[in-house]
Amino acid sequence: METSEFSSKNNVSTSQEVEEPCDDEMFQELVETLPKAKGYNRSYYFYQGFWCPPSYFRGLLSFQKHFQAFDTHIILATLPKSGTTWLKALTFSIANRHKFSLQDTPLLNFGPHNLVPFLEKLYSENPCPNLENCSRILSTHTPYASLPPSIKDENSKCKIVYVCRNPMDVFVSHWHFVGKLRRPEYMEQLSIDEGFEMFCQGIHGFGPYSDHVLGYWKASQTNPNKILFLKYEDLKEDIVFHVKELGKFLGFPFSKEEEDQGVVEEIAKFCSFDNLKEMEGNKNGKSPSGFPNSVFFRNGVVGDWSNFLKPSMVEHFVKLIQEKFDQSGLTFKFS
Ligand code: A3P
């Protein structure tokens, strides 16, 4: 089994600069020039150093070209399976707490993905959507290096929140997610060994993992007022602290009165895995991508990898983490 890479394959260019194609023919021509790889359940395009799912690609190009960040925008950035759904619910609740109480929040009836759209999806439906009518909280899986310039512009006051999760839990979560969405008539169950090999080669949505995480990590170190870098495991350990931090960072600090009334704890509890997964919109609704919202809730714990990974896989992950993250100052918790 070839699992010695945790990042982009060396033989693939990482510096593609392409203009947004103006019509289907140009789009097809572009797609034909891109390196491709078969991933878990589909092929991916290798573009600007990351593996993009084809269903996101057209939207990504329009997003990159046309998106103009407002100072009020809050961009939630993640690698899939790192805690996106949780972060969306938390941010929505914090930012809208004066508009909706937890007794009448739209989160009671709609999934977090229905309330906080993915930019790549938004731009795939319309290459120039009217952002005035859109939520100020938006999300993306696009790596930092490939974000549109207006988000990163030093004059822009829009904020980015990134949540990272330890790679072993991301992998296990992803493997289950793909398995649940699999249509048995078209696809056999992917073995964990096959999934592991692809993940280690960086061939998963918006991977390689290490490039994605390090891109946002480094940017957050350089610009901590603009980018808040969170870890899933830290949120699990002390969610009340992080709800307060998020409020402060996003410009919605909790007042002393709110803290005394227990508003922070209420939001933390409302957005907890056990509570959120029982909401009507999450039990029975569908995400804008057409997935049942229930697939975004599995068990929501830290360290589930220990139930699935073989010792040799763990060893491999540990070695790769040492190689990729040792000099970065970023560390991971696994339990
Ligand atoms: P597991 O598969 O390990 O359970 P994403 O939202 O980025 O797709 O990530 C999904 C992962 O986050 C899943 O992990 C899911 O169970 C977990 N999750 C969803 N909502 C959560 C919440 N409110 N609190 C903690 N974890 C949550």
Side-chain angles (χ1 to χ4, degrees):
M1 193 191 337
E2 173 53 55
T3 53
S4 60
E5 295 167 65
F6 198 54
S7 63
S8 36
K9 289 195 159 178
N10 298 334
N11 60 347
V12 183
S13 161
T14 58
S15 58
Q16 283 148 309
E17 290 290 337
V18 289
E19 283 294 299
E20 186 204 26
C22 59
D23 59 24
D24 277 349
E25 205 176 312
M26 286 175 74
F27 180 79
Q28 282 314 326
E29 271 175 31
L30 165 62
V31 163
E32 275 159 32
T33 66
L34 295 176
K36 295 172 193 64
K38 191 166 165 357
Y40 287 9
N41 53 344
R42 54 183 161 191
S43 293
Y44 291 101
Y45 302 152
F46 195 68
Y47 173 70
Q48 295 186 343
F50 70 97
W51 291 102
C52 187
S55 55
Y56 277 79
F57 190 55
R58 194 185 281 268
L60 170 81
L61 296 180
S62 299
F63 165 48
Q64 287 185 314
K65 179 145 188 176
H66 298 298
F67 180 73
Q68 285 302 320
F70 300 159
D71 285 348
T72 49
H73 276 146
I74 297 169
I75 312 290
L76 308 181
T78 55
L79 192 68
K81 304 302 121 202
S82 299
T84 321
T85 315
W86 192 13
L87 182 64
K88 285 186 178 187
L90 287 166
T91 309
F92 184 91
S93 303
I94 294 167
N96 290 303
R97 69 183 187 273
H98 299 304
K99 198 164 158 195
F100 305 116
S101 76
L102 292 177
Q103 285 69 46
D104 67 0
T105 170
L107 282 162
L108 294 167
N109 296 308
F110 298 96
H113 295 289
N114 303 93
L115 298 171
V116 178
F118 276 109
L119 283 154
E120 297 86 352
K121 175 89 182 105
L122 208 61
Y123 279 81
S124 72
E125 286 158 2
N126 177 347
C128 295
N130 183 353
L131 296 174
E132 302 281 350
N133 299 333
C134 207
S135 159
R136 66 179 289 188
I137 312 171
L138 298 160
S139 70
T140 183
H141 287 319
T142 299
Y144 184 77
S146 294
L147 288 178
S150 77
I151 297 183
K152 297 192 276 190
D153 186 331
E154 58 186 35
N155 295 318
S156 158
K157 293 193 174 59
C158 80
K159 302 268 188 178
I160 301 175
V161 182
Y162 185 80
V163 67
C164 140
R165 190 179 191 189
N166 82 70
M168 298 202 254
D169 279 331
V170 169
F171 164 63
V172 167
S173 180
H174 201 187
W175 180 68
H176 282 283
F177 184 77
V178 171
K180 268 194 219 165
L181 291 178
R182 174 180 75 98
R183 292 182 45 197
E185 65 274 29
Y186 296 119
M187 189 188 158
E188 285 186 15
Q189 176 68 38
L190 185 80
S191 75
I192 196 150
D193 295 276
E194 290 169 294
F196 174 73
E197 186 169 352
M198 285 170 201
F199 193 87
C200 289
Q201 288 180 7
I203 305 172
H204 52 97
F206 304 91
Y209 172 92
S210 49
D211 291 352
H212 202 281
V213 172
L214 282 172
Y216 282 95
W217 170 249
K218 287 179 186 160
S220 73
Q221 299 293 99
T222 313
N223 207 343
N225 294 328
K226 187 175 180 77
I227 306 169
L228 179 67
F229 190 97
L230 299 172
K231 294 182 197 166
Y232 181 97
E233 296 76 19
D234 290 345
L235 298 183
K236 275 289 197 186
E237 204 165 290
D238 191 347
I239 187 61
V240 169
F241 172 81
H242 286 98
V243 168
K244 280 193 251 179
E245 280 298 291
L246 256 174
K248 218 184 300 167
F249 176 79
L250 296 173
F252 307 104
F254 290 87
S255 64
K256 169 94 178 57
E257 202 182 14
E258 283 182 302
E259 289 197 22
D260 290 346
Q261 285 168 354
V263 175
V264 180
E265 284 81 359
E266 276 170 16
I267 290 179
K269 198 167 164 209
F270 183 89
C271 295
S272 69
F273 178 85
D274 288 338
N275 191 56
L276 220 52
K277 102 182 213 289
E278 294 306 323
M279 297 287 132
E280 182 53 32
N282 294 326
K283 277 204 299 196
N284 297 314
K286 281 201 168 174
S287 77
S289 305
F291 302 143
N293 281 334
S294 58
V295 295
F296 294 99
F297 299 86
R298 191 176 63 92
N299 58 12
V301 297
V302 179
D304 195 32
W305 58 268
S306 63
N307 297 313
F308 296 93
L309 300 189
K310 298 171 186 165
S312 61
M313 293 174 172
V314 176
E315 203 178 302
H316 196 86
F317 267 118
V318 169
K319 190 163 154 255
L320 288 167
I321 288 163
Q322 278 167 357
E323 280 170 10
K324 294 286 174 185
F325 293 91
D326 236 18
Q327 304 299 316
S328 70
L330 179 62
T331 54
F332 297 95
K333 291 180 190 158
F334 295 102
S335 56

